[in-house]
Amino acid sequence: MRTHQSFAPGFLFFALLTMAAVPVVSASDPNLNAISPFGLQRGTEVELVFQGARLGDAQQLLLYRQGVTVKKIEKVDANRIKATLAATPDCPIGFHGVRVRTATGLSNLKTFSVGALPEVQEKEPNNDFAAPQVVPLGCTVNGVIQNEDEDFFIVEAKKGQRISAEVEGVRLGNTTFFDPYVAILNTERFELARSDDAALLRQDCLCAIVAPEDGKYVIQIRESSYGGNGNCKYRLHIGPYPRPLAVFPAGGKPGQPLKVKWIGDVTGDSESQVVLPTDGGPNYGLLAEDETGIAPSPNMVRINDLENVIEAEPNDTRDKSTVTPAPGALNGIIDRPGDVDYYKFTAKKGQVFDVRVHARKPLRSPLDSVLSILRANGSGVASNDDSGGPDSYVRFTAPEDGDYHVLVRDHLSD
């Protein structure tokens, strides 16, 4: 299921070329390398250790999101401090940035994660499938993958209950490259679900099952090529929470109610009503939530003031194009091999249009878009595959009055 949002946003194009001096980092500036543990549950108070260089004279932690406050800072040694952080019960879920301000300067930015589930620490040895670590179905495990290491955890579930497993690894900003792999198995070691990379999570992974029977299920996590070291840290969210892979439409206007469809959850699709915020930037994360819990990371959408257009299927031929105003925000899904989406708009000769597909960025869709602009007779006006990344962009001038078509497809048509 590959969502996209395409824009034909106007007739003027502004480019800003910026040039800035390269900052010089002083040898006396503090440096922040790691935070341990890597996160906390909202509604709790936790002591975290901040490790790096030249942190002993720390005076303040600078936080960039609401919901977390600093209760206390203590020096451990010249390169480490301890800080007690408290997260409110409604603290935003996800990553929070932090810097350490010392008497001599300001450190680099690092992130920590705030989740909804109780925190559990990995306990070695748990690298034997026959002797996994017992954890509740509804927890966040903080662990480390060593070289050729595997970590196994066992949970108990009822028939028909959802078991979701999502890993934060790459997203934790580890000081070494860590490509996690996760799988859900039954006690006979039959693999029920697995994941290496998930487009939604960049290079992190997730998988989910509906328990086929009452019993115990094993969650396995490792490095995808069986590498690892002491810096390959992870947070593994295990629970019955919803984990959709996409949300549709992929955006809307600020402040207006929007009916969205959550797509790709193992229990099936669902719908809910949301209101997009009126402040902040154009990219916004929606968190799926139901009576079983809340997803540990968001599905991204775009917010703008353009007229929101939803594709009307079937629109896979020019004569069945979804009619749209220009400018407009066009929302569609490439949902089967060979699927294409056509949209039609009217233009005057000399009008200049920017048309941009938002899929990989910021929606984290697996779509590798190809964008084409066609005349009413099907002849080409402009096209683009990649524009500084997998997403597509064209800027074109209408050569004559008339109808034009926007065509969106996947590069491999799969």
Side-chain angles (χ1 to χ4, degrees):
M1 193 71 64
R2 305 181 179 197
T3 57
H4 66 81
Q5 190 176 64
S6 306
F7 292 84
F11 315 127
L12 294 176
F13 177 79
F14 293 92
L16 177 63
L17 176 63
T18 60
M19 183 166 57
V22 177
V24 177
V25 178
S26 167
S28 63
D29 285 341
N31 184 59
L32 180 56
N33 290 331
I35 302 173
S36 181
F38 333 121
L40 67 159
Q41 180 189 13
R42 62 181 180 178
T44 66
E45 189 172 298
V46 175
E47 184 179 84
L48 280 70
V49 176
F50 293 74
Q51 183 172 329
R54 298 173 294 278
L55 299 177
D57 57 348
Q59 298 178 341
Q60 184 183 15
L61 295 183
L62 301 182
L63 300 170
Y64 293 84
R65 296 181 70 183
Q66 299 293 322
V68 178
T69 56
V70 181
K71 298 292 186 179
K72 183 171 58 174
I73 299 176
E74 296 179 77
K75 176 181 177 179
V76 177
D77 54 40
N79 298 319
R80 290 184 298 165
I81 60 170
K82 293 190 298 184
T84 302
L85 272 58
T88 61
D90 60 349
C91 177
I93 285 176
F95 290 95
H96 291 243
V98 60
R99 296 179 193 267
V100 180
R101 185 179 67 81
T102 70
T104 55
L106 189 64
S107 80
N108 55 303
L109 180 77
K110 296 292 283 187
T111 60
F112 60 91
S113 175
V114 174
L117 300 173
E119 303 279 319
V120 173
Q121 295 301 312
E122 173 207 3
K123 294 180 181 178
E124 293 284 0
N126 64 341
N127 57 351
D128 184 353
F129 177 85
Q133 180 178 341
V134 178
V135 297
L137 180 60
C139 71
T140 295
V141 182
N142 293 268
V144 178
I145 294 293
Q146 301 288 349
N147 188 42
E148 297 186 356
D149 187 18
E150 297 178 90
D151 289 346
F152 293 98
F153 305 93
I154 192 166
V155 299
E156 196 158 348
K158 297 292 185 182
K159 180 179 179 179
Q161 194 170 19
R162 177 172 48 208
I163 304 174
S164 299
E166 177 175 327
V167 179
E168 294 171 357
V170 172
R171 292 173 293 166
L172 286 178
N174 286 293
T175 55
T176 188
F177 179 73
F178 174 38
D179 183 12
Y181 168 97
V182 67
I184 302 174
L185 309 94
N186 63 18
T187 51
E188 284 73 46
R189 204 161 188 166
F190 182 80
E191 193 173 74
L192 303 174
R194 64 179 178 182
S195 173
D196 182 355
D197 300 335
L200 177 66
L201 309 179
R202 299 188 173 93
Q203 207 158 345
D204 282 336
C205 47
L206 62 88
C207 61
I209 66 166
V210 174
E213 58 187 7
D214 293 358
K216 296 180 178 180
Y217 296 87
V218 177
I219 290 85
Q220 173 198 28
I221 179 171
R222 60 174 172 82
E223 207 277 331
S224 61
S225 58
Y226 288 92
N229 57 56
N231 291 316
C232 293
K233 302 170 183 177
Y234 67 82
R235 282 166 61 81
L236 171 61
H237 305 278
I238 307 171
Y241 56 81
R243 182 59 279 176
L245 303 180
V247 60
F248 187 78
K253 292 185 176 183
Q256 291 192 358
L258 183 68
K259 185 177 182 180
V260 299
K261 183 177 184 179
W262 301 97
I263 302 170
D265 186 87
V266 69
T267 63
D269 298 345
S270 61
E271 294 183 343
S272 65
Q273 191 92 354
V274 301
V275 177
L276 300 179
T278 56
D279 55 355
N283 304 327
Y284 182 71
L286 292 175
L287 288 163
E289 185 173 10
D290 63 17
E291 68 282 355
T292 66
I294 186 169
S297 63
N299 295 87
M300 301 302 296
V301 295
R302 290 273 300 173
I303 303 175
N304 59 72
D305 289 316
L306 299 176
E307 189 66 30
N308 215 34
V309 177
I310 311 299
E311 68 165 324
E313 290 280 9
N315 67 336
D316 51 2
T317 57
R318 290 197 322 277
D319 62 314
K320 295 179 180 177
S321 292
T322 298
V323 178
T324 177
L330 321 179
N331 296 267
I333 302 176
I334 304 298
D335 62 357
R336 63 189 182 278
D339 187 24
V340 299
D341 289 344
Y342 279 93
Y343 304 87
K344 183 173 73 173
F345 66 98
T346 301
K348 295 290 186 180
K349 180 179 180 179
Q351 285 185 313
V352 180
F353 291 86
D354 291 325
V355 185
R356 185 182 299 276
V357 176
H358 294 277
R360 294 288 179 91
K361 294 181 180 180
L363 305 182
R364 302 176 191 167
S365 165
L367 180 70
D368 183 1
S369 64
V370 177
L371 173 66
S372 300
I373 308 300
L374 310 172
R375 293 180 175 87
N377 64 6
S379 62
V381 176
S383 66
N384 179 255
D385 180 1
D386 300 335
S387 178
D391 289 341
S392 309
Y393 163 78
V394 297
R395 184 182 189 225
F396 78 99
T397 302
E400 63 264 335
D401 293 356
D403 290 336
Y404 293 84
H405 298 269
V406 176
L407 168 62
V408 181
R409 64 177 178 87
D410 183 75
H411 175 72
L412 297 177
S413 299
D414 61 1

